[in-house]
């Protein structure tokens, strides 16, 4: 039975385990879950993934330089009892990640990063920050690729996120109060010619 048919035949609310058991979508769509409601996002485009890789690499270098007890990964599952997300970049407690880990517990996440595209602006600017704050994630970063790459840094304060910084070039940034990262937003999408960027999902 195809994944699409499986989704159509499903009755009632979804569980996290049911979503994790789905086959990969034929078009690369990402599956997420909010309190029983299945959410699908289009597969990300080339520019989106290029920016994700570059930012993740900068964070990974910072973790290693600080010898901080975290791991950095792109597009991995982060779960709670009734919610499942696939943030574009995740910084999580090293102790919560093993070779066979398919979904990191929400409480193990230090930082979640979402990259905004024309298909997910409402989710990444409004919905996901609210849900991540509810889960107590210490830091949320939103990377905007247009009109030029810039990073909006949020820190958790009284169960909501407070915008503390916008990074447009080189800057040192505190990551959830656990370590600092030397970021260079100027190199994101630098290899693309003007007008060639494809935001993706």
């Amino acid at each position: 039975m195809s994944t699409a048919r499986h989704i159509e035949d499903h009755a009632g609310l979804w569980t996290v385990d049911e979503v994790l058991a789905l086959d990969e979508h034929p078009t690369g769509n990402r599956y997420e879950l909010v309190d029983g409601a299945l959410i699908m996002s289009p597969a990300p485009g080339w520019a989106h993934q290029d920016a994700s890789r570059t930012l993740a690499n900068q964070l990974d270098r910072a973790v290693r330089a600080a010898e901080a007890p975290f791991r950095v990964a792109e597009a991995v599952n982060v779960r709670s009892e009734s919610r499942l997300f696939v943030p574009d970049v995740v910084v999580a407690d090293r102790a919560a990640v093993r070779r066979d880990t398919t979904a990191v517990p929400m409480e193990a996440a230090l930082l979640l990063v979402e990259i905004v595209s024309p298909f997910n602006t409402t989710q990444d600017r409004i919905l996901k920050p609210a849900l991540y704050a509810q889960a107590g994630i210490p830091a949320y970063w939103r990377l905007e690729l247009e009109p030029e790459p810039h990073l909006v840094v949020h820190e958790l304060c009284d169960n909501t996120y407070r915008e503390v910084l916008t990074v447009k070039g080189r800057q040192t940034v505190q990551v959830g109060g656990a370590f600092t990262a030397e970021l260079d937003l100027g190199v994101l999408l630098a290899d693309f010619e003007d007008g060639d960027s494809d935001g993706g999902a």
Side-chain angles (χ1 to χ4, degrees), residues 7-130:
I7 291 174
E8 292 172 1
D9 288 349
H10 187 276
L13 300 178
W14 287 84
T15 67
V16 171
D17 289 337
E18 287 174 332
V19 177
L20 288 173
L22 286 171
D23 294 332
E24 182 179 348
H25 195 278
T27 63
N29 286 358
R30 292 180 180 177
Y31 301 115
E32 296 180 297
L33 182 71
V34 177
D35 301 337
L38 184 66
I39 299 172
M40 286 196 297
S41 300
W46 191 280
H48 178 287
Q49 291 303 87
D50 189 83
S52 174
R53 174 179 52 81
T54 302
L55 181 59
N57 286 344
Q58 292 181 13
L59 284 166
D60 187 62
R61 285 195 295 270
V63 166
R64 294 175 186 274
E67 298 183 348
F70 300 96
R71 285 189 177 275
V72 181
E74 299 176 72
V76 292
N77 297 307
V78 179
R79 67 170 294 171
S80 66
E81 185 68 25
S82 62
R83 295 175 181 176
L84 177 71
F85 299 104
V86 188
D88 291 306
V89 180
V90 176
V91 178
D93 186 345
R94 178 179 292 272
V97 182
R98 305 186 307 179
R99 286 189 179 186
D100 61 351
T101 298
T102 57
V104 175
M106 200 81 71
E107 60 268 21
L110 173 72
L111 165 69
L112 301 181
V113 183
E114 297 289 358
I115 301 175
V116 177
S117 78
F119 302 105
N120 62 10
T121 54
T122 299
Q123 286 190 38
D124 292 342
R125 292 174 181 168
I126 300 173
L127 176 62
K128 286 189 174 180

Side-chain angles (χ1 to χ4, degrees), residues 151-195:
L151 183 71
V152 185
V153 175
H154 297 81
E155 294 180 353
L156 193 64
C157 181
D158 296 329
N159 300 315
T160 190
Y161 284 122
R162 177 172 58 93
E163 183 178 321
V164 297
L165 186 66
T166 297
V167 181
K168 294 185 178 180
R170 290 178 177 267
Q171 193 154 345
T172 300
V173 180
Q174 278 280 341
V175 184
F179 63 95
T180 60
E182 298 290 336
L183 301 182
D184 185 359
L185 274 291
V187 302
L188 269 64
L189 309 186
D191 292 338
F192 288 89
E193 297 180 7
D194 290 343

